[in-house]
Amino acid sequence: DTGVSQDPRHKITKRGQNVTFRCDPISEHNRLYWYRQTLGQGPEFLTYFQNEAQLEKSRLLSDRFSAERPKGSFSTLEIQRTEQGDSAMYLCASGDRAYNEQFFGPGTRLTVL
Amino acid sequence: SQQGEEDPQALSIQEGENATMNCSYKTSINNLQWYRQNSGRGLVHLILIRSNEREKHSGRLRVTLDTSKKSSSLLITASRAADTASYFCATGSNTGGFKTIFGAGTRLFVKA
């Protein structure tokens, strides 16, 4: 499968715990995006990488959120001290520089108890 | 807040009928895209239309863009039950990061 993959697909955690999600983009794509989606809403932009550089962050990304793309390939999104409001689907997408089309992974569904 | 706003929020039609969804946005854009999302799954890119284009076709899909009205429409012709999904418009602008802003979506239900 040469699409975008995300791991884990589901994560249940208790409030206050830290969680980390991984995204593996399509190999030749240098752009990588993270979004958060809650029920009945469209994806909300969180952050964007071009290669290993994090070029844009949303105001939604509080200090508890951090994202990395250390070698310009896979990316991780960490949420520290999770809160119930963090419960959502976290989507990763990758894209080619020449176009703005994005290819989405299946998402990681986070439930904070 | 989301830039794109889809209309209607929900649409129910019979198989074979056409479905039209509209999207309005607020600021200048580089391009506008439409995505489909089946229940509980990731998004699938359908079509991209650039700001200098007015209409684009892809199979049973027809997209129009009116930059003067800051609006776009997606027409699905001869709908099928498999078209049942949520449809989102997303706007992209060349602000250095090509951030893409999604609307809240139109939920389409096609009855067999």
Side-chain angles (χ1 to χ4, degrees):
Chain A
D1 187 354
T2 57
V4 178
S5 61
Q6 292 186 246
D7 183 68
R9 295 291 304 277
H10 303 273
K11 179 70 177 178
I12 299 174
T13 190
K14 292 182 179 179
R15 190 175 53 186
Q17 297 295 305
N18 299 344
V19 294
T20 300
F21 309 141
R22 176 179 170 126
C23 170
D24 286 89
I26 293 171
S27 58
E28 60 267 29
H29 287 175
N30 60 2
R31 298 179 174 209
L32 187 146
Y33 307 79
W34 283 99
Y35 294 89
R36 180 173 67 188
Q37 186 178 27
T38 53
L39 193 63
Q41 298 298 313
E44 294 177 295
F45 171 82
L46 292 179
T47 191
Y48 157 74
F49 289 86
Q50 185 166 322
N51 299 312
E52 67 275 9
Q54 188 175 20
L55 297 185
E56 200 160 352
K57 290 172 61 173
S58 166
R59 286 172 294 178
L60 293 173
L61 217 64
S62 74
D63 291 344
R64 297 185 297 107
F65 288 71
S66 63
E68 295 183 341
R69 194 183 183 198
K71 297 182 180 179
S73 56
F74 73 92
S75 176
T76 58
L77 177 67
E78 180 183 16
I79 309 174
Q80 296 181 328
R81 305 181 302 281
T82 52
E83 301 172 357
Q84 287 185 325
D86 296 331
S87 294
M89 176 77 86
Y90 289 84
L91 296 167
C92 175
S94 69
D96 183 285
R97 181 180 177 83
Y99 305 97
N100 215 31
E101 174 185 0
Q102 295 175 34
F103 295 84
F104 281 80
T108 294
R109 184 170 296 283
L110 172 66
T111 301
V112 182
L113 302 176
Chain B
S1 63
Q2 303 287 4
Q3 166 158 250
E5 292 186 7
E6 288 89 344
D7 171 57
Q9 291 185 333
L11 181 61
S12 181
I13 59 174
Q14 291 290 139
E15 202 167 32
E17 293 180 338
N18 296 342
T20 299
M21 288 160 269
N22 302 298
C23 168
S24 60
Y25 58 91
K26 297 176 184 175
T27 63
S28 62
I29 61 170
N30 178 271
N31 62 64
L32 186 143
Q33 304 168 62
W34 286 91
Y35 288 82
R36 182 187 72 221
Q37 185 177 37
N38 292 90
S39 180
R41 295 189 171 184
L43 285 84
V44 174
H45 182 267
L46 296 176
I47 196 165
L48 179 152
I49 186 165
R50 301 198 182 278
S51 59
N52 61 353
E53 297 176 312
R54 292 296 169 257
E55 188 171 313
K56 207 162 183 180
H57 297 255
S58 177
R60 295 184 295 113
L61 306 180
R62 173 177 169 256
V63 168
T64 62
L65 178 64
D66 187 335
T67 52
S68 66
K69 295 181 179 178
K70 291 186 169 58
S71 67
S72 173
S73 67
L74 171 67
L75 168 67
I76 304 175
T77 60
S79 63
R80 305 166 181 167
D83 293 329
T84 294
S86 291
Y87 291 81
F88 297 91
C89 70
T91 53
S93 63
N94 187 1
T95 57
F98 285 95
K99 181 167 61 179
T100 302
I101 305 298
F102 286 81
T106 291
R107 279 136 199 86
L108 174 66
F109 182 65
V110 181
K111 294 177 281 187

